[in-house]
Amino acid sequence: MLKKSNLILVTLGITLMAFVPNCKKGAATATLASDAASRVYVAPGEKDEVYAFLSGGFSGQMSVYGIPSARLFKIIPVFSVFPENGYGFDEETKDMLKTTHGYVPWDDSHHVEASMTDGKQDGRWMFLNANNTPRLARIDLKSFETKEILEIPNTAGNHASPFATENTEYLMAATRFSVPVPQASVAIDSFSKGGFKGTVTMVKVDKNTGRLSIELQVLVPGFNYDLSHCGKKKSHDWCFFSSYNSEQAHKMLEVGASKKDKDFILAFNWVRAKECKDQGKAYNFGGEYVNNFHDENKPAVSTKLSGVKMLNPKDCPGMMYYMPTPKSPHGTDVDSTGEYIVGGGKLASVIPVHSFSKMMEVKDKKEHHSTEIEGIPVLKYESTLAGEVQKPCLGPLHTEFDGQGYAYTSCFVSSEVVKWKLGTWEVVQHLPAYYSVGHLSIVGGSSSEPYGKYLIAMNKITKDRYLPVGMELPQSAQLYDISSGKAELLSDFPTVGEPHYSQMIPAKLLMDKTAKLFPLEENKHPYATKNENDAKIVRLGSTVHIYMTAIRSHFKPDIIEARTGETLYFHVTNLEQDYDIPHGFAIGGAPNMTNLLIMPGETRTFKWVAPKPGVYPFYCTDFCSALHQEMQQYIRVSP
Amino acid sequence: MKTLLFQTLSKRNRLLILGVGLVLILVYLIPIWSISISAPQYPEGLGMQIWINKITGATPYDLKNINLLNHYIGMQEIVSESIPELLFMPYVLAYLIFGAFITELYPKVGMAILGIINLVIVGLVGLSDFWRWEYNYGHNLNPEAPIIVEGMAYQPPLLGCKEMLNITACSYPSYGGMILGLSLVVLVYILWDENRRKKSNVV
Ligand SMILES: [Cu+2]
């Protein structure tokens, strides 16, 4: 067993450095492919080969890049308000950010998951987690817009989320911060006495509509559940969660949670869990939560829900097993065949790989159990071990697979990506990363059929890579070509927010399916105005509804009269039916509302309380035509 | 000449005329003419199609977008309802088809000649009317239009392509128009064939 103090850890680090052959200092080893520039160059008019969807970490957003050019195409607001297009401000989308804590217009978004059919990316939806205020979102890949947000009750820190089963039957969501479940004011030191719990949540995804609902929660020991990946093919029924702080320390976790030599990967049989629920073994449990759904061209509907079905592991034998894994495992990744479960022990000196077949063979044999924690058998480390990658690097975190029998693991402490071979556990290549790399992403790399070719490394620190821009440097990712035997660095690119995790999808799966416009005749918005002749102003006491149309290059009605204190709702319908002709709408000095970007055929509502008397201009903010600058008018406010 | 007019059509030529009548029915179902517009900001192009009884966009939204472009230069809005020709064109086509079927009852070379005359008249009147229509749209501009370029008219070409400001407009017969043209060719061929037959009979 290794000793645990920072000093010793650093010493250990330095010692290990000596073992790692290629692990020299940063840029000195930058082996840039000599023709890298031409391999990332996408000529004017040509299109990129791959879409990359990167979560923004603390930005609460998701961004879309083209690969290999690494050009930023779009920022999709998910959990954060977005003044650029009014997301989270206007009457249509403000309810998307409602939670049981009220309106929470930000979050900490880590993991992007792509919907799959038969383990292959199907290009229908992206899912994103909200760690801070536990939520899970579905982004539609036709409109590239957030369509649904589901709050997860009885949990804190929704970090191990949203990882999908092979057919997107369910998304998994597990606790990062164990807390009293149900919430209560208890002494913090009762954590170590089992007073804190975690939950694993199965979120059901409707096959046709994608609508989200909570199927079941499982009450698990109060560890910190960090990441997850679900099985594929033979391991289809299972999902795997890494955990740390099995010590259940509640202060100075830096030391307290790093004591034990091994923490666990939790193996969870979700098919068995559903079976136990159907047999009535789950009980009714409390928990308030909110589901927000934004249907096309309608105001979002926010629904308050309460209560879930809760299951205790001891009431459902065969559902959960702990596999000891060194040491404070962070990532847990399942290879494309579904056989190997790779742990990323962030303090470990090996990369441990569990074998699914071995686990199946030994899981119910007592002689392979070392103990049991709250009804969950703990299997012996050696019993499920397929092998260990010896001395790969420092701080191995996350692993992705290229479908050719190779795995790529990111190493945070030694800032590199190691390529190693499944089965022989031999390291075949060290690739420097700039710097402190977190997740990796290979095109289709977490599916059962990777498309391979490109790998991006998502870094936490940039230092000398770009022009300095003050104290906070651009966040960064790096692109590697992994199509040939030797992976090659192609480029660095700055990103929006922290590029935490990503899903990359071949462009041909998405590009022809994206929506070009909303057909006006299908606009079901209650305040839609589909014809300029129907534009009107309706007064109901001190509330004024303005049914407004926007088309190149004017609004109708264009002169508005109001009185101080009246509430005006501008329901603006964009009458255009042409690709890429949104119109904007903004009023000078509107304090609680930003801008609207209204897509062709769409209706959105700007709420404005008439301020002190005066004349207030309103105008189109999206350069729409030669006469865009003339697309402006006035509201007169009288006393 | 008189003998040729009343010469009974050969069995093969009767069948050809019947075929022309049947194929002409298709003209109700497909556009006759198409005008396509391309500009840098419309890389995918915009198109307008003229049918026997209506004008449509090449996609469900093209006509609306052409009108949106046109309003800047003060062109009238193009809507089928404002074009009276489209009201009686279907009857003209019905007359041509009817003529082809009547020929089966009265299969004389004269009927084929009548068909040729009809088609030529329809073609000439149609094209000159189309030109007049284009002229009106291109020249009758709203004097209050936002964009007025001195001396500029926006008449699309009758046939072929033409540059107007940053827009290239091309005008060509569509499948329906080709069928009409082909019908004329078939009738002329029949006339030539019958004339040759007459000569060989005399000899
Ligand atoms: Cu505009």
Side-chain angles (χ1 to χ4, degrees), chain B residues 80-186:
Chain B
S80 306
E81 291 75 34
S82 65
I83 302 162
E85 287 87 337
L86 298 174
L87 286 175
F88 67 81
M89 285 284 280
Y91 298 103
V92 173
L93 180 63
Y95 165 74
L96 293 175
I97 295 166
F98 180 74
F101 293 153
I102 285 292
T103 307
E104 297 308 305
L105 301 175
Y106 187 67
K108 301 292 176 200
V109 174
M111 290 299 278
I113 293 172
L114 187 61
I116 290 168
I117 293 167
N118 282 334
L119 270 168
V120 167
I121 290 173
V122 166
L124 287 177
V125 170
L127 283 174
S128 62
D129 190 60
F130 182 44
W131 183 86
R132 196 180 53 87
W133 178 84
E134 286 182 333
Y135 183 91
N136 278 338
Y137 267 95
H139 287 81
N140 258 337
L141 303 173
N142 183 346
E144 290 185 15
I147 300 174
I148 293 178
V149 181
E150 204 58 51
M152 186 70 196
Y154 303 94
Q155 181 179 357
L158 191 62
L159 191 71
C161 293
K162 186 175 165 189
E163 301 254 336
M164 293 180 288
L165 302 184
N166 71 329
I167 286 171
T168 307
C170 294
S171 174
Y172 288 107
S174 187
Y175 301 108
M178 291 180 211
I179 286 178
L180 285 166
L182 202 67
S183 304
L184 183 61
V185 170
V186 169

Side-chain angles (χ1 to χ4, degrees), chain A residues 216-347:
Chain A
L216 177 69
Q217 287 196 315
V218 184
L219 198 65
V220 290
F223 306 158
N224 294 32
Y225 295 87
D226 209 12
L227 270 166
S228 167
H229 262 103
C230 292
K232 31 195 91 116
K233 295 173 184 164
K234 60 180 150 184
S235 52
H236 166 271
D237 295 1
W238 296 77
C239 290
F240 304 91
F241 298 82
S242 62
S243 69
Y244 63 100
N245 197 16
S246 58
E247 296 87 346
Q248 297 192 314
H250 63 277
K251 53 183 180 188
M252 274 301 280
L253 255 59
E254 177 177 48
V255 178
S258 306
K259 286 210 156 67
K260 286 189 185 165
D261 192 35
K262 293 191 176 61
D263 291 285
F264 302 113
I265 285 177
L266 174 69
F268 169 51
N269 185 328
W270 57 270
V271 174
R272 173 81 183 123
K274 175 74 165 64
E275 201 175 279
C276 288
K277 183 204 170 196
D278 293 343
Q279 290 164 0
K281 290 178 178 166
Y283 50 99
N284 290 326
F285 197 85
E288 306 280 309
Y289 62 106
V290 166
N291 176 223
N292 308 320
F293 174 57
H294 188 201
D295 202 354
E296 251 167 36
N297 238 331
K298 280 182 191 167
V301 176
S302 181
T303 314
K304 268 205 162 154
L305 299 158
S306 83
V308 294
K309 284 283 179 195
M310 185 70 85
L311 185 61
N312 279 332
K314 65 171 169 39
D315 298 330
C316 186
M319 174 177 70
M320 280 180 166
Y321 301 87
Y322 277 126
M323 298 193 285
T325 304
K327 194 195 162 189
S328 296
H330 184 58
T332 167
D333 298 283
V334 183
D335 84 308
S336 335
T337 66
E339 166 64 11
Y340 297 121
I341 303 124
V342 182
K346 56 185 185 273
L347 310 177

Side-chain angles (χ1 to χ4, degrees), chain A residues 472-527:
Chain A
E472 196 204 2
L473 294 174
Q475 302 280 331
S476 180
Q478 279 172 273
L479 176 70
Y480 299 88
D481 183 338
I482 57 165
S483 59
S484 63
K486 203 162 186 256
E488 292 173 296
L489 178 64
L490 294 181
S491 77
D492 284 351
F493 61 100
T495 62
V496 180
E498 181 219 341
H500 194 90
Y501 186 39
S502 134
Q503 290 284 332
M504 292 200 281
I505 295 190
K508 60 180 190 302
L509 206 62
L510 296 184
M511 58 185 285
D512 297 327
K513 286 194 247 163
T514 58
K516 290 187 157 65
L517 46 85
F518 293 111
L520 259 183
E521 62 272 20
E522 288 168 25
N523 180 333
K524 298 272 180 348
H525 195 288
Y527 292 101

Side-chain angles (χ1 to χ4, degrees), chain A residues 11-48:
Chain A
T11 320
L12 168 78
I14 293 163
T15 319
L16 274 170
M17 286 285 231
F19 289 105
V20 178
N22 277 1
C23 206
K24 287 173 228 142
K25 277 265 164 63
T29 55
T31 48
L32 192 72
S34 58
D35 59 342
S38 66
R39 280 146 75 183
V40 299
Y41 181 67
V42 177
E46 305 272 293
K47 296 197 171 57
D48 277 286

